[in-house]
Amino acid sequence: MALRAIVSRVTPTRFMDSICGATRFFSQKVEGLRPEKLKIDENRNVEDHRRRLLAAKYEMRRNLYKALCRDPSLPSDMRDLYRCKLSMLPRNSSFTRIRNRCIFSGRPRGVYRKFRMSRIIFRELASNGELLGVTKASW
């Protein structure tokens, strides 16, 4: 059977509260897994969060340097200077290095952007009625 999310008008605070409740529910189920695996997934989420913060911090500077590198009206030595400055920025400050991950399991693939969780976790929580405003479709 297909599971389709029908999201009604739920305030963001109530939705986040339901996710917090779902986190408690999911953490109870996860206790049986190896602790090393959970530690690795948690580290990946922390690392990804750090990359997001760096990308937001250097976004304006990176866009300025890129625009100046591409500007054909500037002399080539000045463009080379800005290209060098662009390469001196931290690698993790680039938006291409950010990966959407599930906030519960750290899974990098099959993540719904709106809910920030993987399809597997989403299906499990929606089936249990842990997510506000999400119902199983039937026709």
Side-chain angles (χ1 to χ4, degrees), residues 22-65:
T23 306
R24 284 191 296 272
F25 172 77
F26 187 68
S27 63
Q28 292 168 358
K29 285 193 153 192
V30 173
E31 288 173 0
L33 292 176
R34 296 186 322 232
E36 309 93 38
K37 175 94 169 97
L38 291 177
K39 185 78 170 168
I40 291 170
D41 290 343
E42 185 177 312
N43 287 342
R44 286 183 182 153
N45 280 347
V46 169
E47 188 177 313
D48 189 58
H49 180 67
R50 193 177 311 127
R51 284 182 180 153
R52 287 177 191 275
L53 293 177
L54 270 174
K57 180 179 177 183
Y58 288 102
E59 179 183 11
M60 292 292 288
R61 196 177 305 175
R62 182 174 287 277
N63 288 340
L64 175 69
Y65 292 161

Side-chain angles (χ1 to χ4, degrees), residues 78-122:
M78 189 176 273
R79 288 193 310 222
D80 289 339
L81 172 73
Y82 285 114
R83 196 170 292 117
C84 181
K85 285 186 177 184
L86 181 64
S87 68
M88 297 301 280
L89 291 177
R91 282 187 180 177
N92 285 338
S93 67
S94 174
F95 276 103
T96 58
R97 293 178 69 102
I98 294 175
R99 180 77 178 178
N100 288 332
R101 291 187 174 272
C102 175
I103 57 176
F104 297 111
S105 62
R107 182 180 166 86
R109 296 184 182 184
V111 176
Y112 294 128
R113 283 186 194 162
K114 188 169 189 169
F115 297 99
R116 293 180 53 203
M117 63 181 75
S118 69
R119 59 185 176 80
I120 299 164
I121 304 294
F122 178 81

Side-chain angles (χ1 to χ4, degrees), residues 4-11 14-15 18 115 122 126 129-136:
R4 189 178 74 186
I6 302 170
V7 181
S8 61
R9 290 180 175 83
V10 177
T11 60
R14 286 193 62 200
F15 181 71
S18 71
F115 297 99
F122 178 81
E130 295 287 325
L131 298 176
L132 288 176
V134 178
T135 58
K136 188 171 181 179

